[in-house]
Amino acid sequence: MIFLLRPKPAMSRIFLLSTLLLSGIAHAGKLTLTIDGVDGELHTAALNSTELSQYTSRDVSAAQVRRLYDHAAAQIAKSLEPYGYYHAKVSGDLKETAQGWNALLHVAPGEPVTVEMLTIDLGDAPHQEKTVADALKAFAPQTGQRLDHAAYEKSKLTLQTTLLEHGYLDAKLDTHVVAVTRDSNRAAITLQWNIGPHYRIGVTQFSGGQLDEGFLDRYLPWKPGDDYRTGKLLTLQQRLVDADYFSIVEVLPDLEHENPDDGTVPILVKLAPAKRTIYTSGVFIDTDTGAGVRGGIERRWVNSKGHKLKFQLEIAQRLKTLASLYTIPLPGSDNRSFNFGANYRDENTDTSKSRTASLVANETREWHGFTRTIGVHALAGNFTVADQQGTTTLLYPEVSLTRKKTDNIDFTHNGYSFTVTARAGGGATTFEQVVADAKYIHALGDSNRLILRGSLGATQVADFDKLPPELRFFAGGDRSIRGYAYQTIGPLDAAGKVIGGKQLAVFSTEVEHYFTPTWGIATFIDTGNAFGGSSAASTLPLGATPVDGGSKFKIGTGLGLRWRSPVGMVRVDLGTPINDPLHGGVQLHLTIGPDL
């Protein structure tokens, strides 16, 4: 007797689904992909073009992997055409293993297409522009070079941008053809621009500003009728940003109102006022002056004429200052202004104590690439240097030239700063003084910097004892010779105390290495001294002469840590004197602030 068992419909569906799942699992596995025959950018293009690469290290079924493999050859061949390889051949093998599948693809790129003819027609006028000529010279690919579509598009865009930057605002690329002959592996490139008129700068219109009409003309780096240059617009934008009156600054050509007939284009400057009053406060640590707090109030514009007012208070362990400055901008493209200030300074260091008040009036302007300041100072106060006490009143004019260049104000890779100051005057004594400071930063590769620094100074004075500490020269400290405490180097009196000098020479060499984008280490060597001070005979014992503490160059060296913090560059240095019988040990130096 035969019994037939008919499974229930629900059980049949479960059995079928289980069978399919088990079948899928049995044939699923990991995919590995290897591409050879090409390297560099060709290998990257080939790998990124094939769908197989998206399934590596994933479970794929036999049907999936075979479908992906069948499409890979055409995908890779197509991906090499933008690099000039139009005859690429792809072969390979797909093997099943215990772990899944291994796909091996061999790529033979073949002979590349080369440029047989390159024709670029700009007309006659643009060739006179150096940057346009440079863009033409740098155009890639040139005749005889491999056809590279990415380089071609980049060069085409560079040339178009260069034309616009030099006043050809209507320049239009009418013809852009790349004709490829596959049989002969040759290509012909034809580009033809209709450049239109060469524009000059017309009327400049300011909108949204809060200052008197005509005041902002002082920032214009052009006159109506000058050749249009995008760089000039960027210069104006930067000048207005630096003026610190505005929160928004946009400088654009008014293309809707350009006039091809006379070849002029108006310039639109859109502005929005910044916050008028700024309050600042903070704490700081500086091993020269000690820990302290600072605060300030700045009125960005006092009136519609653009006058500015600033107060700054700083209270540290060894230095207290109060400064005020009133600035009156003057018309003109040289950023000229009158400045009036009143200052109070109370300094108490291991070397000296002083309390002085000063009044300052000067004029600043841009002058042959420098910021030039000409003014007069009135200074009065009392001081103690070593065992010498004095009171002084001085009136002296001062001239300074400053120049600074940096590729990044927060972290300079390549840049420099230079300042030279000359002053002379009289009162309690007569004197003449010149001081020069320079700093140079140069990147050494991507992770290293060379930093060179130097200071020189010289003074002629009738009575050195009447000269206050801020007009004497001292060495030692964070920004001088590390390894020595602040202002502890210089000529000594008979008691061996530093009294300051008439001359100064300090030099520094430093190398930094950054092992992450924000952290680095440094090594340095600083050398120099202050020279030529003299003490009043009445302050010395009978027959005594000043001790020679400033006739030789002092040397300090050490190691440092660098941190590009959110609030600025932080420098922590440990320095020690070299072969100095009067000084020893390790000195900590901590500074926070920009490189230049």
Side-chain angles (χ1 to χ4, degrees):
M1 182 178 293
I2 299 175
F3 294 94
L4 296 176
L5 298 177
R6 179 175 297 173
K8 294 181 179 180
M11 294 181 63
S12 298
R13 287 194 295 271
I14 293 173
F15 177 79
L16 179 59
L17 179 60
S18 300
T19 302
L20 291 173
L21 288 173
L22 290 173
S23 175
I25 294 173
H27 291 84
K30 302 292 185 182
L31 170 65
T32 61
L33 172 63
T34 303
I35 297 177
D36 62 21
V38 288
D39 53 18
E41 62 182 6
L42 296 184
H43 183 273
T44 301
L47 184 63
N48 292 338
S49 70
T50 174
E51 289 182 276
L52 274 173
S53 64
Q54 302 175 23
Y55 289 82
T56 55
S57 301
R58 292 169 55 182
D59 288 331
V60 292
S61 66
Q64 281 180 306
V65 74
R66 292 192 181 281
R67 177 180 61 81
L68 295 170
Y69 179 80
D70 290 342
H71 294 162
Q75 291 169 347
I76 291 176
K78 189 70 174 176
S79 73
L80 300 186
E81 290 185 1
Y83 298 91
Y85 295 92
Y86 282 77
H87 302 290
K89 303 294 183 184
V90 183
S91 60
D93 191 18
L94 180 65
K95 293 182 178 180
E96 185 175 2
T97 67
Q99 291 77 31
W101 286 269
N102 289 336
L104 175 63
L105 297 171
H106 306 287
V107 181
E111 291 295 323
V113 171
T114 57
V115 177
E116 184 178 38
M117 183 177 65
L118 173 63
T119 303
I120 302 177
D121 183 6
L122 297 177
D124 296 328
H127 293 275
Q128 300 173 5
E129 303 284 354
K130 182 180 183 303
T131 51
V132 175
D134 290 343
L136 285 170
K137 186 177 179 180
F139 193 96
Q142 291 283 331
T143 302
Q145 295 179 342
R146 172 173 59 87
L147 177 62
D148 186 326
H149 288 265
Y152 162 76
E153 292 294 339
K154 181 179 179 180
S155 297
K156 188 173 64 174
L157 178 61
T158 298
L159 195 48
Q160 174 71 20
T161 302
T162 303
L163 290 171
L164 296 177
E165 289 176 346
H166 284 75
Y168 298 95
L169 302 179
D170 295 338
K172 181 181 179 182
L173 183 57
D174 287 339
T175 303
H176 46 104
V177 176
V178 179
V180 177
T181 305
R182 291 175 178 263
D183 293 341
S184 61
N185 280 334
R186 294 292 182 265
I189 298 175
T190 303
L191 299 171
Q192 185 176 24
W193 268 270
N194 180 4
I195 63 168
H198 186 211
Y199 282 91
R200 294 172 290 107
I201 293 176
V203 176
T204 303
Q205 298 176 336
F206 295 91
S207 65
Q210 71 275 29
L211 304 174
D212 286 347
E213 184 178 355
F215 172 78
L216 296 180
D217 291 344
R218 70 192 301 268
Y219 297 102
L220 295 178
W222 62 71
K223 297 178 181 178
D226 286 354
D227 288 342
Y228 177 93
R229 294 289 186 273
T230 300
K232 293 181 179 180
L233 272 61
L234 295 176
T235 298
L236 174 60
Q237 184 172 24
Q238 189 60 53
R239 287 183 178 181
L240 292 174
V241 169
D242 293 342
D244 203 30
Y245 293 117
F246 311 106
S247 61
I248 297 175
V249 178
E250 294 183 1
V251 183
L252 302 168
D254 186 3
L255 300 180
E256 293 183 1
H257 296 91
E258 64 181 30
N259 190 340
D261 294 334
D262 66 3
T264 61
V265 57
I267 305 300
L268 293 180
V269 183
K270 299 180 181 179
L271 306 168
K275 185 177 180 180
R276 188 170 187 176
T277 304
I278 306 172
Y279 301 92
T280 59
S281 63
V283 298
F284 64 91
I285 300 176
D286 189 304
T287 45
D288 282 351
T289 60
V293 296
R294 62 167 59 99
I297 302 175
E298 180 180 357
R299 193 75 162 168
R300 280 174 162 149
W301 68 95
V302 176
N303 49 39
S304 61
K305 298 182 183 300
H307 295 191
K308 292 175 174 286
L309 178 63
K310 180 187 297 186
F311 295 95
Q312 184 76 37
L313 173 66
E314 186 173 298
I315 302 175
Q317 290 172 289
R318 292 181 288 276
L319 178 66
K320 301 173 182 64
T321 62
L322 175 62
S324 62
L325 181 67
Y326 191 88
T327 299
I328 303 175
L330 300 173
S333 60
D334 53 2
N335 208 23
R336 182 173 172 234
S337 64
F338 284 141
N339 310 281
F340 303 91
N343 308 288
Y344 174 77
R345 180 183 182 92
D346 182 350
E347 188 170 25
N348 185 356
T349 72
D350 294 339
T351 302
S352 65
K353 298 179 181 179
S354 67
R355 291 182 178 179
T356 57
S358 63
L359 296 175
V360 180
N362 60 44
E363 181 228 46
T364 63
R365 66 169 66 189
E366 301 299 321
W367 183 75
H368 297 287
F370 290 86
T371 298
R372 188 190 73 185
T373 303
I374 301 176
V376 61
H377 290 241
L379 183 147
N382 55 70
F383 60 88
T384 301
V385 181
D387 295 328
Q388 172 198 349
Q389 295 183 351
T391 301
T392 190
T393 301
L394 295 173
L395 180 67
Y396 57 92
E398 182 178 272
V399 179
S400 70
L401 294 175
T402 300
R403 188 167 188 169
K404 181 186 298 186
K405 182 179 181 181
T406 177
D407 55 5
N408 186 333
I409 192 171
D410 295 321
F411 184 78
T412 301
H413 294 89
N414 292 284
Y416 65 86
S417 65
F418 172 78
T419 300
V420 59
T421 302
R423 54 179 71 97
T429 184
T430 57
F431 75 99
E432 300 87 35
Q433 187 176 82
V434 178
V435 185
D437 296 287
K439 190 172 184 180
Y440 172 76
I441 300 176
H442 179 66
L444 303 173
D446 296 330
S447 304
N448 306 289
R449 297 197 304 174
L450 171 66
I451 302 176
L452 304 177
R453 172 171 51 84
S455 297
L456 294 172
T459 306
Q460 290 286 345
V461 58
D463 187 350
F464 184 79
D465 292 342
K466 297 293 185 180
L467 208 60
E470 51 260 57
L471 293 176
R472 301 186 187 191
F473 293 122
F474 300 86
D478 303 342
R479 299 166 183 83
S480 180
I481 303 175
R482 288 163 288 187
Y484 293 85
Y486 180 56
Q487 292 190 351
T488 56
I489 308 177
L492 310 178
D493 63 10
K497 297 181 179 180
V498 178
I499 60 172
K502 299 178 183 178
Q503 293 88 37
L504 176 73
V506 171
F507 306 98
S508 173
T509 300
E510 180 175 323
V511 176
E512 294 179 343
H513 171 72
Y514 286 83
F515 44 86
T516 75
T518 56
W519 288 95
I521 56 176
T523 182
F524 60 86
I525 182 168
D526 303 337
T527 184
N529 210 330
F531 310 92
S534 63
S535 182
S538 60
T539 66
L540 298 176
L542 185 62
T545 57
V547 175
D548 180 14
S551 61
K552 296 181 180 180
F553 270 45
K554 306 295 184 179
I555 300 175
T557 187
L559 299 173
L561 182 67
R562 301 292 180 264
W563 177 35
R564 295 177 62 185
S565 77
V567 297
M569 177 64 74
V570 177
R571 306 170 188 83
V572 181
D573 293 318
L574 293 176
T576 185
I578 301 297
N579 296 327
D580 189 338
L582 300 179
H583 299 84
V586 176
Q587 186 76 29
L588 171 67
H589 301 276
L590 174 63
T591 55
I592 302 174
D595 291 314
L596 298 174

Coordinates of all heavy atoms in Angstrom, one line a residue, residues 219-222 229-242 249 251 333:
Y219 N 40.6 105.1 0.3 CA 41.0 103.8 0.2 C 41.1 103.2 -1.2 O 41.6 102.1 -1.4 CB 40.1 102.9 1.0 CG 40.0 103.2 2.5 CD1 39.0 103.9 3.0 CD2 41.1 102.8 3.3 CE1 38.9 104.2 4.4 CE2 41.0 103.1 4.7 CZ 40.0 103.8 5.2 OH 40.0 104.1 6.5
L220 N 40.7 104.0 -2.2 CA 40.7 103.6 -3.6 C 42.1 103.4 -4.1 O 42.9 104.3 -4.1 CB 39.9 104.5 -4.5 CG 38.4 104.7 -4.2 CD1 37.8 105.7 -5.2 CD2 37.7 103.4 -4.4
P221 N 42.4 102.2 -4.6 CA 43.8 102.0 -5.2 C 43.8 102.4 -6.7 O 44.7 101.9 -7.4 CB 44.0 100.5 -5.0 CG 42.7 99.9 -5.1 CD 41.7 101.0 -4.6
W222 N 42.9 103.2 -7.2 CA 42.8 103.5 -8.6 C 42.2 104.9 -8.7 O 41.7 105.5 -7.8 CB 42.0 102.5 -9.4 CG 40.5 102.5 -8.9 CD1 39.5 103.4 -9.1 CD2 39.9 101.4 -8.2 NE1 38.4 103.0 -8.5 CE2 38.5 101.7 -8.0 CE3 40.3 100.1 -7.8 CZ2 37.7 100.9 -7.3 CZ3 39.5 99.3 -7.1 CH2 38.1 99.7 -6.9
R229 N 41.5 95.9 -13.3 CA 42.2 94.7 -12.8 C 41.4 94.1 -11.6 O 41.1 94.9 -10.7 CB 43.6 95.0 -12.4 CG 44.5 95.5 -13.5 CD 44.9 94.3 -14.4 NE 45.9 94.7 -15.4 CZ 45.6 95.3 -16.5 NH1 44.4 95.6 -16.8 NH2 46.6 95.6 -17.4
T230 N 41.2 92.8 -11.6 CA 40.5 92.2 -10.5 C 41.3 92.4 -9.2 O 40.8 92.5 -8.1 CB 40.3 90.7 -10.8 OG1 39.5 90.6 -12.0 CG2 39.6 90.0 -9.6
G231 N 42.7 92.3 -9.4 CA 43.5 92.5 -8.2 C 43.3 93.8 -7.5 O 43.4 93.9 -6.3
K232 N 43.0 94.9 -8.3 CA 42.7 96.2 -7.7 C 41.4 96.1 -6.8 O 41.4 96.8 -5.8 CB 42.6 97.3 -8.7 CG 43.9 97.6 -9.5 CD 43.7 98.7 -10.5 CE 45.0 99.0 -11.2 NZ 44.8 100.0 -12.3
L233 N 40.4 95.4 -7.3 CA 39.2 95.3 -6.5 C 39.5 94.5 -5.2 O 38.9 94.9 -4.2 CB 38.1 94.5 -7.4 CG 37.2 95.4 -8.2 CD1 38.1 96.1 -9.3 CD2 36.2 94.5 -8.9
L234 N 40.3 93.5 -5.3 CA 40.7 92.8 -4.1 C 41.5 93.6 -3.1 O 41.3 93.5 -1.9 CB 41.5 91.5 -4.5 CG 40.7 90.5 -5.3 CD1 41.7 89.3 -5.7 CD2 39.5 89.9 -4.5
T235 N 42.3 94.5 -3.7 CA 43.1 95.4 -2.8 C 42.2 96.4 -2.1 O 42.3 96.6 -0.8 CB 44.1 96.2 -3.6 OG1 45.0 95.3 -4.2 CG2 44.8 97.2 -2.8
L236 N 41.2 96.9 -2.8 CA 40.2 97.8 -2.1 C 39.4 97.1 -1.0 O 39.2 97.6 0.1 CB 39.2 98.4 -3.1 CG 38.1 99.2 -2.5 CD1 38.6 100.4 -1.8 CD2 37.1 99.7 -3.6
Q237 N 39.0 95.8 -1.3 CA 38.3 95.1 -0.4 C 39.1 94.8 0.9 O 38.6 95.0 2.0 CB 37.8 93.7 -1.0 CG 37.0 92.9 0.0 CD 36.4 91.7 -0.7 OE1 37.0 91.2 -1.7 NE2 35.3 91.1 -0.2
Q238 N 40.4 94.5 0.7 CA 41.2 94.3 1.9 C 41.4 95.5 2.7 O 41.4 95.5 3.9 CB 42.5 93.7 1.5 CG 43.4 93.2 2.6 CD 42.7 92.1 3.4 OE1 42.3 91.1 2.9 NE2 42.7 92.3 4.7
R239 N 41.6 96.7 2.0 CA 41.8 97.9 2.7 C 40.6 98.3 3.5 O 40.7 98.8 4.7 CB 42.1 99.1 1.7 CG 43.4 99.0 1.1 CD 43.7 100.2 0.1 NE 45.0 100.2 -0.5 CZ 45.5 101.1 -1.3 NH1 44.7 102.1 -1.6 NH2 46.7 101.0 -1.8
L240 N 39.4 98.1 3.0 CA 38.2 98.4 3.7 C 38.0 97.4 4.9 O 37.5 97.8 6.0 CB 37.0 98.3 2.8 CG 36.9 99.4 1.7 CD1 35.8 99.2 0.8 CD2 36.8 100.8 2.4
V241 N 38.3 96.2 4.7 CA 38.3 95.2 5.9 C 39.2 95.7 7.0 O 38.9 95.7 8.2 CB 38.6 93.8 5.4 CG1 38.8 92.9 6.6 CG2 37.5 93.3 4.5
D242 N 40.5 96.0 6.6 CA 41.5 96.4 7.5 C 41.1 97.7 8.2 O 41.5 98.0 9.4 CB 42.8 96.6 6.9 CG 43.4 95.3 6.4 OD1 43.0 94.2 6.8 OD2 44.3 95.3 5.5
V249 N 31.9 93.6 3.4 CA 32.5 94.4 2.3 C 32.5 93.6 1.1 O 33.0 92.5 1.0 CB 34.0 94.8 2.7 CG1 34.6 95.6 1.5 CG2 34.1 95.6 3.9
V251 N 33.1 94.1 -3.2 CA 33.6 95.0 -4.2 C 33.4 94.2 -5.5 O 34.0 93.2 -5.8 CB 35.0 95.4 -4.0 CG1 35.4 96.4 -5.1 CG2 35.2 96.0 -2.6
S333 N 45.1 108.2 -0.8 CA 45.3 106.8 -1.0 C 46.4 106.2 -0.2 O 46.6 105.0 -0.3 CB 45.5 106.5 -2.5 OG 46.7 107.2 -3.0

